[in-house]
Amino acid sequence: MIREKSCGAVLFRRYGGERRYLILHSTQGHYTLCKGHVEANESEHETAVREIAEETGLCPAFIPGFRETIAYSPCADHQKEVVFFLAEADDSPLVCQKEEVADADFFPYAKASARLTHDSDRAVLEKADRYAALHT
């Protein structure tokens, strides 16, 4: 069994009083949250910061206390764990990594949820939105 681990974040920005969440349109065709593989001796937060910067050009400010994990099998003999944090994105320009991200944008919660391809990502977004409502 091959085991993989990725880390990322549910990223949001504030537009007026509304939180809008970043949804990536992968070059593979699915809509997802920002995440990527852990490298060498990186911590989970270090991986999330690096992946967010590589895929979007953004810098996250993590909201303490939120950590959500999902696990799935992307193919036979593979098990993948993905750790998500909650973070507010800085105001840097959104710059997509052409090799992995076809497009990306910030959406209000309902639209962000509707765009996501996988139910597991939708569940993480829902938990993050509830947490953000109480802690940001």
Side-chain angles (χ1 to χ4, degrees):
M1 177 73 67
I2 297 172
R3 299 191 185 282
E4 299 177 34
K5 185 173 184 179
S6 292
C7 299
V10 176
L11 285 167
F12 69 92
R13 279 187 172 160
R14 297 171 201 267
Y15 293 83
E18 178 184 51
R19 283 181 310 282
R20 293 188 185 179
Y21 295 96
L22 182 66
I23 304 299
L24 307 182
H25 183 199
S26 164
T27 55
Q28 297 174 358
H30 57 274
Y31 290 87
T32 187
L33 301 169
C34 195
K35 64 185 178 299
H37 290 93
V38 174
E39 292 182 0
N41 294 318
E42 287 181 321
S43 71
E44 292 176 345
H45 277 102
E46 288 169 339
T47 298
V49 169
R50 178 183 51 76
E51 285 292 336
I52 291 164
E54 287 176 2
E55 293 182 356
T56 68
L58 302 175
C59 181
F62 294 107
I63 308 302
F66 185 89
R67 182 184 182 276
E68 187 67 26
T69 302
I70 61 172
Y72 60 95
S73 181
C75 56
D77 296 328
H78 280 70
Q79 185 65 32
K80 186 165 188 171
E81 175 187 36
V82 184
V83 176
F84 288 102
F85 300 103
L86 175 62
E88 188 163 4
D90 66 348
D91 59 359
S92 299
L94 180 58
V95 179
C96 296
Q97 181 184 30
K98 294 175 186 166
E99 299 81 11
E100 295 186 29
V101 182
D103 192 22
D105 206 351
F106 288 87
F107 298 95
Y109 171 76
K111 287 186 179 181
S113 181
R115 287 185 84 81
L116 288 168
T117 301
H118 301 291
D119 289 339
S120 57
D121 285 348
R122 237 182 313 286
V124 170
L125 176 63
E126 180 181 1
K127 290 176 183 177
D129 184 61
R130 283 190 310 223
Y131 190 89
L134 297 172
H135 297 93
T136 64

